[in-house]
Amino acid sequence: RDGNLIRLSIRKEGAPVQPEIVAATLGRATTEAQDRDLPFEWDGEGFIVMTDASDGNWDLRLRLRADDGTLYVARIEL
């Protein structure tokens, strides 16, 4: 996270890959009241999105699907 920009880079053998984003939700760690779905866009190297999240403890919850159908689930602290 760089200010209001969130960049998500996924790589395989050093090269960027573009899995399907099934769900990408930004929210506080302790409540769902401020949860929001993020509309990531592919920029050729990774996914990016601008958000107006204020300072504090935020989590990015992801569900991604690889080309072979493998589902990947992660929670990333921002």
Side-chain angles (χ1 to χ4, degrees):
R1 179 174 172 190
D2 182 11
N4 288 337
L5 175 69
I6 297 175
R7 175 175 289 281
L8 179 61
S9 178
I10 303 161
R11 299 188 172 277
K12 181 178 181 179
E13 298 175 2
V17 293
Q18 184 181 2
E20 172 193 1
I21 296 179
V22 177
T25 304
L26 182 67
R28 298 279 189 184
T30 57
T31 180
E32 295 179 359
Q34 295 179 342
D35 280 9
R36 62 190 84 167
D37 293 331
L38 295 180
F40 277 97
E41 295 182 18
W42 179 253
D43 73 355
E45 289 293 319
F47 294 98
I48 59 172
V49 68
M50 294 295 291
T51 183
D52 60 353
S54 59
D55 290 338
N57 185 3
W58 291 91
D59 290 338
L60 177 60
R61 295 184 302 275
L62 295 168
R63 293 175 57 87
L64 308 172
R65 188 177 322 279
D67 288 341
D68 67 1
T70 301
L71 186 62
Y72 176 77
V73 178
R75 181 181 62 87
I76 301 170
E77 294 179 22
L78 301 179

